[in-house]
Amino acid sequence: MSQPIISFSRPYRSARELDNLRDVLELGHVHGDGPFTLSATNRLKAITGADHILLTTSGTHALELSSLLLDLGPGDEVIMPSFTFPSAANAIALTGARIVFVDIEPVNGNVDASLIGRNVTSETKAISIVHYGGVAGDLAEVVRIAEAHGLALIEDNAHGLGGTWQGRQLGTIGELAIQSFHDTKNIHAGEGGAIIVNDPELMGRAEMLREKGTNRSRFLRGQVDKYTWTDIGSSFLPSELVAAVLDSQLAEFDHIQAWRHRIWNSYSAGLSDWALAQDVSLMTIPEGREHTAHIFFMLMPTHADQTAIIAHLRELGIVATFHYVPLDSSAAGLKYGRTPEPALVSEDFSSRLVRLPLWAGMTDGEIERVIDGVSSYSPR
Ligand SMILES: *Cc1c(COP(=O)(O)O)cnc(C)c1O
């Protein structure tokens, strides 16, 4: 008897999304920066405690906007982990700056902070990190190095909305941080993103770069009497249709997060005996962190087990997946980056990591099926 497929991820449907979309179309303000943009931005400020947030068309565009704000260009270097999403690297490569890939730590997959300091050169301008799975790494050391060398810190917080480190919200620690609202993320708008500008001096320029390099935002606030081309820039602001969906999702943030945490906690408890017996490491959350239940991962004993358990689960109608092929050895990574020391942990981590289905909407029966399916696998 074949059971219905349990997908890896499924975009959440929020209660007000259709009403919000109708409101936008009926009110007629469909381009960006209307009432839903304002409302969604305020909800993001309430969650993060940040003062300066701008919605963008994607997390990728927020990363590109970050690079523009930091004036990155040829001759500059940016240090980042080899185990991250390509957008973080693209945002550097597009400016002509060089990426310096460093390895990760083997438990949570975050950058190995001890490797950053020894790879800072006179060209280094910034450090770009990701809070993998919405779990902060050794941020004390990252921040210390950034401050000691006067480097900007960019947080890719696509996984970490609402997560904390030592009581501080993720996304409020670096000069700049980004969020993604792609429909695989906890909160989504189909496609969408945001930039959090924690260095207030960058905010005025961030507004202009986001609006085609014009001072249109100041014009709309009545601060200038006509708007002109003032800087480089692009069109990074989302339509109100996107903001309307985002706003309806953010209105249910606590509900969505509680649902995801319930799944995460069920996996963690339900798989612990199996994992111990089979030499599998389950995702853990270190002291002083609150995570976001964005992903639940397991590290299998070998790469062969990674392949085999994904196939085993597929036969049971459960879609599990690996994550992040390391960037340093990818075709573009070789072209646009350099890797001073081989990123062996990153390669090993990537070759053994398996992520389980996790989305608000999964039923208790589906969660059980995943736990049973995983537990019925024995490593080779
Ligand atoms: C999804 C994601 C991005 C890109 O966000 P988009 O909104 O899809 O452009 C960047 N970094 C990480 C870590 C992501 O997971």
Side-chain angles (χ1 to χ4, degrees):
M1 184 191 71
S2 89
Q3 301 195 71
I5 305 264
I6 301 177
S7 52
F8 175 68
S9 153
R10 187 180 295 173
Y12 183 75
R13 298 295 307 268
S14 51
R16 280 206 53 85
E17 61 193 19
L18 291 175
D19 292 328
N20 283 6
L21 287 168
R22 190 175 305 107
D23 286 352
V24 172
L25 294 168
E26 284 178 4
L27 290 171
H29 182 137
V30 191
H31 63 274
D33 280 340
F36 281 113
T37 298
L38 182 64
S39 173
T41 305
N42 285 337
R43 291 186 198 276
L44 285 170
K45 288 181 184 174
I47 292 168
T48 59
D51 291 330
H52 303 294
I53 301 182
L54 295 169
L55 296 194
T56 59
T57 31
S58 65
T60 301
H61 280 166
L63 285 161
E64 291 173 21
L65 179 51
S66 303
S67 290
L68 295 176
L69 282 169
L70 296 176
D71 285 322
L72 297 179
D76 296 331
E77 286 191 341
V78 177
I79 300 176
M80 72 169 59
S82 60
F83 187 77
T84 188
F85 192 72
S87 293
N90 264 322
I92 309 307
L94 279 168
T95 67
R98 190 140 207 92
I99 305 155
V100 178
F101 291 111
V102 297
D103 211 350
I104 56 172
E105 46 80 9
V107 178
N108 286 288
N110 283 306
V111 71
D112 179 342
S114 69
L115 297 177
I116 299 177
R118 64 175 199 241
N119 286 295
V120 171
T121 69
S122 58
E123 329 254 78
T124 311
K125 208 143 173 205
I127 301 169
S128 174
I129 60 168
V130 59
H131 306 303
Y132 183 63
V135 181
D138 181 5
L139 295 185
E141 180 63 4
V142 174
V143 168
R144 191 194 64 75
I145 296 163
E147 282 173 359
H149 297 277
L151 308 175
L153 176 62
I154 306 163
E155 296 175 73
D156 178 342
N157 197 35
H159 302 175
L161 181 64
T164 66
W165 169 74
Q166 311 290 359
R168 289 173 69 183
Q169 283 287 327
L170 301 184
T172 65
I173 293 153
E175 274 72 16
L176 296 166
I178 73 98
Q179 303 295 151
S180 166
F181 304 116
H182 184 268
D183 78 2
T184 51
K185 304 295 163 28
N186 292 20
I187 296 293
H188 80 91
E191 302 273 358
I195 186 168
I196 304 181
V197 184
N198 295 314
D199 176 352
E201 289 188 9
L202 293 175
M203 185 58 181
R205 194 157 176 243
E207 278 187 340
M208 291 191 275
L209 268 57
R210 172 177 172 268
E211 259 277 27
K212 298 100 178 166
T214 71
N215 56 356
R216 186 161 185 275
S217 299
R218 303 193 63 200
F219 169 72
L220 293 176
R221 286 196 297 264
Q223 293 166 324
V224 289
D225 59 10
K226 57 182 185 301
Y227 80 88
T228 61
W229 185 31
T230 47
D231 206 329
I232 56 164
S234 191
S235 185
F236 289 130
L237 72 169
S239 136
E240 274 287 281
L241 293 166
V242 168
V245 174
L246 180 62
D247 191 57
S248 71
Q249 296 255 329
L250 288 167
E252 296 180 45
F253 181 68
D254 291 344
H255 173 70
I256 293 169
Q257 289 304 100
W259 201 320
R260 299 186 73 104
H261 277 284
R262 197 166 67 238
I263 301 166
W264 198 99
N265 292 336
S266 300
Y267 288 162
S268 183
L271 294 172
S272 64
D273 290 346
W274 168 82
L276 201 61
Q278 308 290 353
D279 204 20
V280 172
S281 307
L282 301 181
M283 183 175 176
T284 54
I285 312 301
E287 281 293 292
R289 276 83 168 161
E290 285 169 295
H291 73 112
T292 55
H294 176 56
I295 62 182
F296 185 91
F297 73 74
M298 327 185 279
L299 287 174
M300 302 303 292
T302 65
H303 176 58
D305 288 309
Q306 178 194 53
T307 312
I309 194 170
I310 290 173
H312 171 79
L313 291 170
R314 187 169 307 124
E315 273 170 30
L316 299 173
I318 298 165
V319 184
T321 175
F322 56 89
H323 214 187
Y324 295 156
V325 178
L327 297 180
D328 60 304
S329 54
S330 66
L334 293 171
K335 188 164 173 194
Y336 298 110
R338 64 181 183 87
T339 309
E341 303 168 70
L344 301 176
V345 179
S346 176
E347 200 169 313
D348 176 61
F349 197 79
S350 164
S351 76
R352 295 189 293 117
L353 182 135
V354 174
R355 296 186 297 158
L356 299 179
L358 206 178
W359 36 274
M362 278 182 86
T363 63
D364 289 348
E366 288 170 323
I367 299 167
E368 282 295 298
R369 259 183 70 197
V370 174
I371 293 172
D372 291 346
V374 171
S375 311
S376 65
Y377 176 82
S378 302
R380 314 276 111 140

